[in-house]
Amino acid sequence: MKMKKLGKMINVFCLFGLLGMTNGHAFLFPASAATAYNLSSPIPSEASLSHVIQGRQSYSGQHIMWRDNEGQINIINSFGGADVAGNEKAYIHYINTFTGTHALVEGGACSFGRQGKMAYDPIHNKFYWSGEYCNRTLGGSFNEFDPVTMTNTVIATGVGQWWTALSMVMGADNKIYFIPMDADGQGSHVFSYDPAIGASSWTDYGVFYGPSNGISPGLYVDSQYIYVAWQQNIAPNNYHLMIHSIGSGSWSEHDFGDGLSATGLRFFIERNTGKWYLNRTTSSGTTNYWPENGGANFISGGVLSANAAEEWVAKWNCAVTMGYGDYSVFNTAYDYDMNWDYAMPNPGNTESKVYYGPHSSWNYPDSGFSTSTLDYTGPWYDLAVNTVVPHSGESEFYGIGESITDYNYGNETKDYVYMRNLPSVYHSMKVPASASPLNTEEVYISGYANQFWRWNPSEPWSTSNPKALSFPEHMNYRVFADYDAEGKIWLGGNMCGATAGCVDYGSVAWYDPETEQKGEMFQGVWTGGNPPATGNGIKYTNLAMSNNRTKVVVSSNDGKLTVINALTKTIEGTYNLGKKAFMVEVDNDRVLGITKDGDPSQAFLFRPSTRTMITSPQAIGVSGQTFGSADGSSARRVFKLEKGPDGYAWLFVDKKIYRVHPTTLAFEHIATDSGDSNKLIWAENKKDLLLYGRVSPSVFSNLLTPSIEYLFADLNNDDSVNATDFNIFKLDFQKLAASLTNPKSDIDGDGQATVKDVGIMMSNWNN
């Protein structure tokens, strides 16, 4: 079955071998020949595509649970707030699980802050939260939610002074303490709020260490002092403990007395006592301290840390996870469960639906739960289109971001594909029906954190469609996927993004959709840690399928190109390029690559079968940032070369669109993007170039024009020259024009369907 699929999909020689002989003649034709598409002249203008994806932002949606003083479980699911400019309002889907009362409540500006940026106050039965992913100019918000009245009150806004939240905690004095990021360049402040008094109690304790903002500062408050443990965000990025007395005084840094700089400083909860303690890491090892009496007292004995759920409940009186987080945390914390797969509304389905129930009866999705369904009617915003999947039709694609739409850019209409939350999508890839065990087009979608889905668009959306896939190694950033000649999926990823202290390393995984088997190519070889590093920290850069999809070429940050036999899943060998590269196969056994190490970038042609250079790296001859931006762990998630129907490799250089000649490597400037896209892909009709990676994608329609020969060789007029056309031709082979079943079989117009016509067909073969 697998070799049949290989022949049907890819290899022209095998294809005609499988089709057999016609009238005693065997066909053997070259696998590649003349270009079937040519650049249009003049270059068409760029057209913006409006309203491709509309909805509300969910990538920082929070899912929260707490137990009040009456023992009742309360739930919040949030969405929105950072949709466009960062000053839109967050929405709160609140549920009292005991009474069943629920409400959809508008909150303050920015998205709902994540773990550590909220706190439940059991004394006054109020829930406090702060905005995250805010607009620096417009400022953030500090909010009080009342579960009795189901209302939200904005207590303070940070216009001109502070914006996105960093930390929040309830002090031993029953006040709420809060650290946001500064917006004025003076440094982060600590604020306090007394729920017993109200808005007039808002107190500014000033900058605790300016002008640098702390990176994720830890915050603890006893009955007399405020303690802030933070990492400076400028070199050498050391940690500091700052202390301020409650009510009056000034900030001072605690001296630990050993002359050592801290490379780690974090508050934990001690399991046996429930007390807060400070864990400090230096070049001499790790030590623990009790924060008390305005100082930090060394703990000579051992401490036993609480687990994550215990710590969250002890620190913030609630349990919380983000949209792509752990469903089980609520069971651990409160013996309760909830599911928010359908909490996110969009214009195609305005319901926000949450399932919840005690763990003892929880059997989701079949039984043992209650349901809260609330209707959200707007406002809606145009959201980013992170990735695009062209599919059948003259001008259609799936636009993928916060949700999925089936978009027709010919008339700018769309159908909503109902979607669970899809936070931080980076890449998508279509597998044709010929390569799928389901015999239908499938789409694979990847992103943060460690997310990878298999989606069958021909089937209804459900809890198992798309199907979430996991792999032996956890990779936060799954950024590239492609399929091989047997239909296996190859997936590249990295552990870290820009996370401070994370030792990055890469992964190349494979998945067989027919057998559900999966594995890793470099598990135990490309290793890392967080921290410390336990291996060489090799990072994956890019994958390229080659040699009729039988080989995978991997570029990594150690400068090597590794060639993998995709059929046997074995490493054939390496080539020491000395730089990392981003690649695409432009012809059989010819991989074109662009490097990003050094200035300027270089281009090369690589032959995977022999692991040798066809054309050694050479300067690209144009100035600017290839792939549209400088290299970096975040930026390179969108670096991708795209092979065009004309046989060239296409890419951005700054905002300019270039194509690269497949043999000479000459760069040709085609057009300049009028927007801020960073990725491009060819439409299904092979004539239109789609630009995306921003809120409004755009298109250069008819940028390529089919050759006259190509139009003649397309016997069934479906914009492809492939096995379907050849099967039509077989019926007419060696017949005279007057006897042809399909008059177009006489491609060259000489009065008969002959081997010459097959040669023309083969020279324009493109599927």
Side-chain angles (χ1 to χ4, degrees):
M1 184 267 183
K2 289 297 182 75
M3 291 309 296
K4 180 180 178 182
K5 182 179 291 184
L6 167 63
K8 184 170 69 171
M9 287 166 32
I10 304 298
N11 193 310
V12 173
F13 292 103
C14 295
L15 172 63
F16 287 96
L18 288 169
L19 292 173
M21 298 191 300
T22 303
N23 293 342
H25 293 266
F27 296 122
L28 288 176
F29 302 102
S32 62
T35 299
Y37 285 82
N38 302 307
L39 192 65
S40 299
S41 181
I43 300 297
S45 58
E46 180 182 8
S48 179
L49 304 177
S50 61
H51 311 312
V52 176
I53 298 177
Q54 289 183 297
R56 295 304 308 264
Q57 160 269 332
S58 71
Y59 58 80
S60 186
Q62 303 301 319
H63 311 282
I64 305 149
M65 185 178 292
W66 72 87
R67 179 180 283 118
D68 61 27
N69 287 334
E70 296 180 0
Q72 298 174 6
I73 296 295
N74 296 252
I75 289 174
I76 281 178
N77 288 268
S78 72
F79 59 85
D83 306 273
V84 183
N87 65 320
E88 288 73 29
K89 303 296 178 60
Y91 274 77
I92 300 166
H93 184 151
Y94 168 74
I95 308 164
N96 183 311
T97 65
F98 181 77
T99 63
T101 55
H102 59 176
L104 198 59
V105 182
E106 184 180 87
C110 323
S111 59
F112 213 97
R114 71 185 84 181
Q115 170 197 332
K117 302 168 186 183
M118 61 187 69
Y120 171 63
D121 172 8
I123 306 299
H124 305 96
N125 192 27
K126 298 290 194 302
F127 188 87
Y128 294 91
W129 64 277
S130 50
E132 190 175 7
Y133 294 104
C134 304
N135 181 291
R136 187 182 188 115
T137 301
L138 300 173
S141 64
F142 176 88
N143 298 258
E144 178 183 81
F145 178 77
D146 186 335
V148 176
T149 62
M150 296 187 294
T151 56
N152 186 88
T153 302
V154 178
I155 302 299
T157 59
V159 180
Q161 186 184 41
W162 53 267
W163 56 308
T164 193
L166 292 174
S167 296
M168 186 186 295
V169 73
M170 184 174 181
D173 58 356
N174 298 329
K175 297 177 183 178
I176 307 299
Y177 290 82
F178 170 56
I179 300 176
M181 187 176 291
D182 82 283
D184 56 11
Q186 301 303 305
S188 291
H189 295 234
V190 174
F191 297 96
S192 72
Y193 171 73
D194 189 341
I197 297 174
S200 64
S201 69
W202 185 257
T203 301
D204 183 356
Y205 278 91
V207 176
F208 58 81
Y209 194 106
S212 168
N213 284 294
I215 298 176
S216 301
L219 178 61
Y220 167 66
V221 182
D222 61 20
S223 60
Q224 293 180 295
Y225 294 94
I226 305 166
Y227 304 82
V228 179
W230 70 282
Q231 181 188 13
Q232 64 190 64
N233 60 0
I234 55 176
N237 302 112
N238 292 324
Y239 287 76
H240 308 264
L241 178 62
M242 306 301 297
I243 302 174
H244 194 297
S245 60
I246 293 175
S248 62
S250 60
W251 289 101
S252 61
E253 181 172 359
H254 178 75
D255 184 357
F256 287 89
D258 53 16
L260 299 174
S261 297
T263 56
L265 200 63
R266 183 180 171 186
F267 290 112
F268 288 93
I269 298 293
E270 207 281 324
R271 172 174 287 182
N272 293 326
T273 63
K275 292 176 59 178
W276 291 59
Y277 72 93
L278 186 67
N279 178 268
R280 177 173 178 253
T281 302
T282 66
S283 57
S284 295
T286 299
T287 49
N288 297 308
Y289 303 82
W290 298 120
E292 55 190 7
N293 302 319
N297 296 323
F298 176 71
I299 303 173
S300 58
V303 293
L304 181 63
S305 294
N307 63 40
E310 290 173 333
E311 184 174 320
W312 293 344
V313 172
K315 284 184 176 180
W316 302 292
N317 301 316
C318 63
V320 57
T321 188
M322 291 184 73
Y324 35 69
D326 182 5
Y327 291 84
S328 67
V329 65
F330 305 109
N331 170 37
T332 304
Y334 298 115
D335 294 322
Y336 216 84
D337 289 281
M338 72 166 159
N339 180 283
W340 56 86
D341 285 350
Y342 300 96
M344 190 69 200
N346 64 47
N349 184 350
T350 60
E351 288 184 347
S352 175
K353 185 177 293 186
V354 177
Y355 303 88
Y356 59 93
H359 185 70
S360 58
S361 65
W362 184 258
N363 189 31
Y364 179 82
D366 298 319
S367 62
F369 56 83
S370 299
T371 306
S372 168
T373 303
L374 296 166
D375 194 53
Y376 174 82
T377 57
W380 303 108
Y381 299 96
D382 284 356
L383 302 178
V385 180
N386 295 329
T387 183
V388 162
V389 180
H391 66 90
S392 56
E394 178 68 16
S395 54
E396 293 181 51
F397 62 79
Y398 297 118
I400 305 176
E402 292 286 339
S403 60
I404 295 181
T405 59
D406 188 353
Y407 190 84
N408 186 322
Y409 62 88
N411 54 23
E412 295 197 39
T413 61
K414 61 179 174 289
D415 293 320
Y416 284 92
V417 179
Y418 182 61
M419 192 78 194
R420 295 192 299 252
N421 296 359
L422 265 188
S424 303
V425 169
Y426 298 131
H427 181 75
S428 61
M429 178 262 303
K430 181 180 70 177
V431 174
S434 58
S436 165
L438 303 179
N439 294 314
T440 187
E441 284 187 353
E442 295 190 77
V443 175
Y444 288 81
I445 305 168
S446 62
Y448 181 84
N450 196 39
Q451 301 294 314
F452 195 61
W453 297 273
R454 177 186 179 185
W455 176 41
N456 178 1
S458 66
E459 293 293 329
W461 198 267
S462 69
T463 55
S464 58
N465 185 35
K467 179 180 182 179
L469 303 174
S470 60
F471 292 86
E473 284 196 299
H474 180 103
M475 288 286 121
N476 278 334
Y477 298 92
R478 303 283 186 185
V479 292
F480 182 87
D482 208 342
Y483 64 94
D484 67 20
E486 294 181 334
K488 293 192 305 298
I489 308 302
W490 290 82
L491 179 64
N494 273 42
M495 178 59 193
C496 307
T499 305
C502 184
V503 179
D504 203 3
Y505 65 104
S507 163
V508 177
W510 58 267
Y511 165 69
D512 189 330
E514 185 173 21
T515 65
E516 298 286 341
Q517 291 182 322
K518 61 191 71 167
E520 302 273 353
M521 290 303 302
F522 299 101
Q523 192 171 16
V525 179
W526 289 6
T527 56
N530 184 20
T534 57
N536 55 19
I538 295 176
K539 290 177 277 189
Y540 147 84
T541 301
N542 185 235
L543 303 181
M545 300 301 303
S546 70
N547 298 69
N548 298 321
R549 295 188 177 271
T550 64
K551 298 184 189 298
V552 184
V553 183
V554 180
S555 170
S556 49
N557 72 316
D558 60 350
K560 292 180 180 179
L561 300 179
T562 302
V563 179
I564 299 171
N565 186 314
L567 306 186
T568 62
K569 301 185 288 292
T570 56
I571 296 174
E572 293 185 345
T574 61
Y575 176 86
N576 188 18
L577 177 65
K579 300 180 178 183
K580 58 179 177 288
F582 301 86
M583 307 166 292
V584 69
E585 187 183 50
V586 290
D587 206 345
N588 187 49
D589 208 19
R590 297 172 68 90
V591 170
L592 189 155
I594 306 291
T595 70
K596 282 291 287 184
D597 290 332
D599 187 18
S601 292
Q602 295 180 313
F604 63 85
L605 280 175
F606 178 67
R607 191 181 303 282
S609 63
T610 58
R611 300 186 298 283
T612 57
M613 279 292 162
I614 301 169
T615 303
S616 296
Q618 61 184 46
I620 63 175
V622 299
S623 60
Q625 291 288 355
T626 50
F627 307 104
S629 64
D631 191 19
S633 58
S634 297
R636 73 175 66 109
R637 297 174 206 156
V638 301
F639 291 174
K640 190 174 184 292
L641 281 170
E642 188 74 22
K643 181 185 177 183
D646 56 352
Y648 287 66
W650 291 68
L651 78 159
F652 278 97
V653 180
D654 290 338
K655 294 172 67 66
K656 297 178 180 179
I657 299 167
Y658 283 82
R659 67 174 185 172
V660 186
H661 195 280
T663 56
T664 68
L665 303 182
F667 273 59
E668 180 184 2
H669 177 218
I670 304 301
T672 300
D673 179 25
S674 61
D676 56 359
S677 293
N678 48 26
K679 292 182 277 190
L680 49 82
I681 194 169
W682 288 95
E684 193 81 356
N685 63 22
K686 303 176 179 66
K687 298 179 291 185
D688 303 342
L689 183 64
L690 298 164
L691 312 181
Y692 63 100
R694 54 175 167 155
V695 172
S696 296
S698 58
V699 60
F700 285 92
S701 294
N702 297 309
L703 184 58
L704 295 180
T705 304
S707 67
I708 297 298
E709 282 190 350
Y710 180 84
L711 294 174
F712 287 160
D714 180 13
L715 301 189
N716 65 343
N717 301 314
D718 67 348
D719 287 323
S720 292
V721 179
N722 53 27
T724 303
D725 300 290
F726 183 72
N727 286 332
I728 294 171
F729 180 84
K730 282 172 51 177
L731 300 175
D732 289 331
F733 183 61
Q734 291 192 327
K735 292 181 182 180
L736 297 174
S739 303
L740 296 177
T741 303
N742 186 333
K744 290 189 68 175
S745 293
D746 180 14
I747 297 173
D748 63 359
D750 67 353
Q752 187 177 9
T754 66
V755 170
K756 289 191 297 180
D757 298 299
V758 181
I760 296 171
M761 182 179 290
M762 281 306 307
S763 70
N764 290 280
W765 195 271
N766 70 345
N767 191 9

